[in-house]
């Protein structure tokens, strides 16, 4: 990284350095760990993430993006629960086992009932995927565990 380049979440391709694991007993517990730091997300591609040809399964990349964008939507909605109503993904390059995959969600717009987001999934400087979608802000807040904040700490917003 040169001094003129901005600091990006993929600049440190390893766990530690402030990356905190997301604690989740649901689906992410099966495919994780997934880490968070300052609003960015990461995971280390492991054998359990492999598809039939030995590279990272597209479903893992989509699950990773959905979780990161979903948490970001909930923070953008002031802690209200949100659900994915539309998501698209383009697989730009191969994500390989051992890669430290990162993304930094971007909120495009929030309305009274929707949050529009996008992100690039990267290994170092290489883009491996691009995701975007729309999350519905739920008016009723069903009982749910707290949403991790951008640093991984739990908040009582949900």
């Amino acid at each position: 990284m040169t001094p003129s380049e901005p600091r990006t979440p993929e600049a440190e391709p390893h766990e530690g350095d402030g990356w905190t694991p997301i604690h989740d007993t649901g689906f992410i517990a099966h495919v994780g760990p997934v880490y968070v730091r300052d609003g960015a997300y990461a995971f280390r591609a492991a054998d359990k993430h492999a598809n039939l040809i030995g590279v990272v399964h597209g479903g893992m990349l989509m699950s990773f993006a959905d979780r990161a964008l979903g948490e970001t939507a909930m923070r953008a909605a002031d802690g209200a629960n949100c659900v994915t109503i539309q998501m698209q993904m383009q697989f730009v390059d191969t994500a390989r086992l051992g890669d430290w995959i990162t993304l930094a969600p971007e909120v495009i717009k929030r309305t009274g009932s929707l949050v529009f987001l996008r992100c690039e999934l990267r290994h170092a400087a290489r883009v491996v995927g691009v995701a975007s979608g729309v999350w519905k802000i739920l008016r009723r807040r069903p009982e749910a565990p707290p949403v991790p904040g951008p640093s991984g700490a739990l908040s009582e917003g949900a």
Side-chain angles (χ1 to χ4, degrees):
M1 186 166 72
T2 66
S4 64
E5 291 179 81
R7 179 182 166 93
T8 59
E10 63 276 358
E12 298 163 21
H14 53 79
E15 296 88 346
D17 294 328
W19 289 102
T20 304
I22 293 172
H23 297 288
D24 183 326
T25 58
F27 181 71
I28 294 300
H30 297 285
V31 298
V34 171
Y35 299 87
V36 63
R37 181 182 76 182
D38 301 327
Y41 293 80
F43 80 97
R44 174 77 61 196
D47 289 344
K48 67 182 175 181
H49 303 126
N51 64 13
L52 292 174
I53 62 170
V55 298
V56 179
H57 194 286
M60 177 57 196
L61 297 174
M62 292 184 78
S63 294
F64 172 58
D66 185 48
R67 176 58 179 252
L69 294 174
E71 283 189 8
T72 303
M74 291 170 77
R75 283 194 300 279
D78 302 320
N81 287 326
C82 295
V83 294
T84 311
I85 60 171
Q86 185 274 330
M87 185 173 154
Q88 63 183 18
M89 179 114 187
Q90 293 82 43
F91 302 103
V92 178
D93 200 350
T94 303
R96 294 177 180 83
L97 302 184
D99 285 357
W100 179 244
I101 307 296
T102 62
L103 67 79
E106 178 185 1
V107 176
I108 304 304
K109 182 177 179 79
R110 179 201 164 176
T111 69
S113 61
L114 301 172
V115 184
F116 298 80
L117 300 105
R118 68 179 166 207
C119 67
E120 291 181 344
L121 289 79
R122 296 177 170 270
H123 169 66
R126 185 168 49 88
V127 175
V128 298
V130 178
S132 63
V134 182
W135 276 255
K136 171 73 174 159
I137 302 169
L138 300 179
R139 301 260 179 240
R140 186 172 57 91
R141 294 184 183 191
E143 290 300 314
V147 177
S151 67
L154 296 177
S155 66
E156 294 295 330

